[in-house]
Amino acid sequence: MTPARSRRPGAPTRTERGIPEATVARLPVYLRALTALSDSGIATASSEDLATAAGVNSAKLRKDLSYLGSYGTRGVGYDVEYLRYQIAREIGVTQDWAVVIVGIGNLGHALANYSGFGTRGFRIVALLDADPTLVGERIGDMVVRDFAELEEIVAADRVSIGVITTPAGPAQEVCDRLVSAGVTSILNFAPVVLSVPDGVDIRKVDLSIELQILAYHEQRKSGEAALPEVPELPAMNGVVPDLPSVGGGVGA
Amino acid sequence: MTPARSRRPGAPTRTERGIPEATVARLPVYLRALTALSDSGIATASSEDLATAAGVNSAKLRKDLSYLGSYGTRGVGYDVEYLRYQIAREIGVTQDWAVVIVGIGNLGHALANYSGFGTRGFRIVALLDADPTLVGERIGDMVVRDFAELEEIVAADRVSIGVITTPAGPAQEVCDRLVSAGVTSILNFAPVVLSVPDGVDIRKVDLSIELQILAYHEQRKSGEAALPEVPELPAMNGVVPDLPSVGGGVGA
DNA sequence: TCGATTTTGTTCTCACGTTCACAAGCTCCT
DNA sequence: AGGAGCTTGTGAACGTGAGAACAAAATCGA
Ligand SMILES: NC(=O)c1ccc[n+]([C@@H]2O[C@H](COP(=O)([O-])OP(=O)(O)OC[C@H]3O[C@@H](n4cnc5c(N)ncnc54)[C@H](O)[C@@H]3O)[C@@H](O)[C@H]2O)c1
Ligand SMILES: NC(=O)c1ccc[n+]([C@@H]2O[C@H](COP(=O)([O-])OP(=O)(O)OC[C@H]3O[C@@H](n4cnc5c(N)ncnc54)[C@H](O)[C@@H]3O)[C@@H](O)[C@H]2O)c1
């Protein structure tokens, strides 16, 4: 089963010009740092400067950039504008991506009102909701449209990215509709695990999870021994001390 | 320089009862899956069932759970309620954590209106804003209060978690105020890198970054060779083809 | 021109994370 | 009682990521 591969162990497996996932996740941070430097009128920056601005270690930054090519000058640093363009190109935000938002409730409204996407390579082409009382509402310079128009809009505007801000219940169904309409990237805010076919990318933003991660560390800080030291013996199976409705929950 | 450490290579460095960070990030997902199973009236689940519900591989799930203790029964599976309680306890959501939200604009309003936190171990004790025209506004059963009252509120309610939904500009300043008031965990939505002293945990939620990561993969899908193959020679330093204002940006 | 100085690009090593594979342990049936 | 059949918990192999360290390349001043 072990083919005659003879890579040096420890070398990241990357296909032609493929970039490690961890690096991809940091490129947008570098991009933002470069834009900030550029706005401050700074034309050149060393990896140390950039790393500080981006909140990472400079060795890591240099290694990340080296995956894109050799865009710096030894002894000098990086040309801010040039590097910014190269990163923008690598990420793909030199072109605009069409985005639809589905579910114009609390969160959908906030996203629709947000001006920050347009300046970062994304164009919101439609706000969709299934609730007839919402359809027609104006938000900024857009109008909420009926979710039934999805397929038409995706085809007309070459939409490749969909944002789901519906309650958890209908999220999978909405996701399926997006995918079959031709959307191949999804950003999900609903607290459910969505399943998608191969070839479709999905990312989730989950505020409850973020808070719970903070809570875990918070608990460690305040009194290491303050944990309710409940017996861990499996003997107590089924006998749960007294947990009201705290915990996960798929709730709307 | 190599001290007499004799750990077996490959063993994760964890302090007493410390859990790997990657595992901590998945525990809330398991918690939610267990709650969903519980709500469906399922009393027992195998690692395979749970893994499917949580969208992970079953070996990973078992290893994750093994860091908490040995809460399953071989040949049978896990008792849903019991495991749910154990995970909730480990994360720290058997108790309620007091949270303040700073910056009640688009996003702050959405979070304030969201009912999902209360049922997951968090209690929003204050909505704060510096804008006098917002102070006094009712949102649900809460009233927006002046940011100046921060210290008082943190002390009175033992607030340990702060959420920042202000524009990027004032975010670091707000963060410093939170920290000096005694907050030790911060969830940041503003698109800036915040710096905090040791002992303070910080997590960020950044929608532009999420979209840009999707864009990167999207670009690979649609025409591998469709990249604008700009010369990579450093000779063109400073000469940027034609990049309007696309890219990062610290914008409000 | 040459050496001192600076800073990149890359290599090497260690740490962390994921997955496989299987012994240990539990239940149930005969 | 004893074996068949499952499922957990974990050891070991493999893959990915982070960071220290340094050689290579550029600038600058003498
Ligand atoms: N609001 C928050 O701060 C917050 C925080 C964390 C998570 N979330 C999650 O984000 C999602 C949205 O939250 P919200 O507060 O905006 O909810 P919301 O109830 O205010 O809005 C949901 C919207 O989705 C629409 N919708 C429902 N079914 C639909 C369908 N099948 N097709 C199209 N549209 C449909 C509804 O009409 C409604 O307008 C939820 O899953 C919630 O759990 C929200
Ligand atoms: N709205 C979105 O969908 C969205 C998306 C991505 C990122 N963000 C980011 O989230 C943050 C909030 O976005 P928003 O759309 O809600 O912005 P917003 O402008 O609507 O609201 C910001 C609020 O912060 C308050 N504020 C300003 N300075 C303050 C200070 N020093 N102390 C206390 N309060 C202060 C303002 O009064 C305002 O009410 C921004 O950083 C934005 O970049 C928002």
Side-chain angles (χ1 to χ4, degrees):
Chain A
M1 241 322 182
T2 356
R5 290 181 306 121
S6 61
R7 288 189 317 99
R8 182 175 59 76
T13 315
R14 278 171 294 105
T15 47
E16 182 76 9
R17 280 184 66 84
I19 294 177
E21 204 45 42
T23 296
V24 170
R26 282 187 295 265
L27 290 179
V29 179
Y30 303 155
L31 188 54
R32 184 173 290 154
L34 285 164
T35 303
L37 290 175
S38 174
D39 290 350
S40 311
I42 296 171
T44 300
S46 70
S47 63
E48 201 64 57
D49 299 339
L50 261 176
T52 303
V56 301
N57 162 310
S58 70
K60 182 150 65 179
L61 180 132
R62 285 201 300 280
K63 184 180 286 202
D64 284 342
L65 294 184
S66 79
Y67 291 120
L68 311 194
S70 194
Y71 296 141
T73 308
R74 292 168 192 230
V76 177
Y78 300 90
D79 180 285
V80 170
E81 284 304 318
Y82 180 64
L83 182 58
R84 185 163 78 102
Y85 173 76
Q86 293 298 343
I87 293 180
R89 186 173 64 92
E90 191 68 39
I91 294 176
V93 291
T94 46
Q95 57 187 287
D96 259 28
W97 296 93
V99 175
V100 294
I101 301 178
V102 184
I104 313 301
N106 290 312
L107 206 50
H109 270 87
L111 295 179
N113 277 318
Y114 185 53
S115 56
F117 298 132
T119 59
R120 287 183 178 86
F122 301 93
R123 188 166 39 92
I124 297 177
V125 298
L127 310 175
L128 301 174
D129 204 293
D131 183 347
T133 66
L134 272 175
V135 173
E137 184 187 330
R138 288 191 64 86
I139 301 178
D141 59 352
M142 304 209 63
V143 173
V144 179
R145 298 172 65 178
D146 195 297
F147 183 56
E149 299 181 51
L150 173 71
E151 286 76 8
E152 190 184 331
I153 292 166
V154 169
D157 289 311
R158 298 209 185 295
V159 177
S160 48
I161 301 179
V163 177
I164 297 178
T165 49
T166 66
Q172 180 66 58
E173 187 190 347
V174 165
C175 174
D176 293 343
R177 277 286 291 279
L178 283 167
V179 169
S180 71
V183 168
T184 46
S185 286
I186 289 175
L187 180 55
N188 176 39
F189 286 83
V192 272
V193 177
L194 296 180
S195 59
V196 292
D198 281 359
V200 176
D201 279 301
I202 190 154
R203 294 190 66 86
K204 69 164 191 286
V205 172
D206 194 317
L207 312 189
S208 294
I209 288 181
E210 298 300 326
L211 287 178
Q212 290 182 6
I213 294 171
L214 288 175
Y216 171 83
H217 293 293
E218 201 59 41
Q219 176 168 248
R220 311 253 120 179
K221 290 178 205 166
S222 51
E224 188 74 17
L227 290 181
E229 260 308 335
V230 173
E232 298 181 12
L233 29 141
M236 75 167 284
N237 257 5
V239 185
V240 176
D242 176 37
L243 184 63
S245 69
V246 164
V250 178
Chain B
M1 236 324 182
T2 357
R5 290 182 304 119
S6 62
R7 288 191 316 101
R8 182 174 57 75
T13 316
R14 277 170 297 106
T15 48
E16 181 77 9
R17 280 185 67 85
I19 294 177
E21 204 43 45
T23 296
V24 170
R26 283 187 294 265
L27 290 180
V29 179
Y30 302 156
L31 188 54
R32 184 173 290 154
L34 285 163
T35 303
L37 290 174
S38 174
D39 290 349
S40 311
I42 295 171
T44 301
S46 70
S47 62
E48 201 64 57
D49 299 338
L50 262 176
T52 302
V56 301
N57 162 312
S58 70
K60 181 148 66 180
L61 179 133
R62 285 200 302 279
K63 176 150 285 198
D64 284 342
L65 294 184
S66 79
Y67 291 120
L68 310 195
S70 194
Y71 295 141
T73 308
R74 293 171 192 227
V76 178
Y78 299 89
D79 180 286
V80 170
E81 284 304 317
Y82 181 64
L83 182 58
R84 185 163 79 103
Y85 173 76
Q86 293 298 343
I87 293 180
R89 185 173 66 92
E90 191 69 41
I91 295 177
V93 290
T94 45
Q95 59 188 287
D96 259 29
W97 295 93
V99 176
V100 293
I101 301 178
V102 184
I104 312 301
N106 290 313
L107 207 49
H109 270 87
L111 294 180
N113 277 318
Y114 185 53
S115 57
F117 298 132
T119 59
R120 286 184 180 85
F122 301 93
R123 188 166 39 93
I124 298 177
V125 299
L127 310 175
L128 302 175
D129 204 294
D131 182 347
T133 66
L134 272 175
V135 174
E137 185 187 329
R138 287 193 64 87
I139 301 178
D141 58 352
M142 304 208 62
V143 173
V144 179
R145 299 172 66 178
D146 195 297
F147 183 56
E149 301 181 51
L150 174 71
E151 286 75 8
E152 189 185 330
I153 292 166
V154 168
D157 288 311
R158 298 208 185 296
V159 176
S160 47
I161 301 180
V163 177
I164 298 179
T165 48
T166 66
Q172 179 66 58
E173 187 190 346
V174 166
C175 174
D176 293 344
R177 278 285 291 280
L178 284 168
V179 169
S180 70
V183 168
T184 47
S185 286
I186 289 176
L187 181 56
N188 175 39
F189 286 83
V192 274
V193 176
L194 296 180
S195 60
V196 291
D198 280 0
V200 176
D201 280 301
I202 190 154
R203 296 191 64 88
K204 71 165 191 289
V205 173
D206 195 316
L207 312 190
S208 294
I209 288 182
E210 297 300 326
L211 287 177
Q212 289 181 6
I213 294 171
L214 288 174
Y216 171 83
H217 294 292
E218 201 61 39
Q219 177 169 248
R220 311 253 119 179
K221 290 178 203 166
S222 52
E224 187 74 20
L227 290 182
E229 260 308 337
V230 174
E232 297 180 14
L233 28 142
M236 75 166 286
N237 257 7
V239 186
V240 176
D242 175 37
L243 183 63
S245 69
V246 164
V250 178

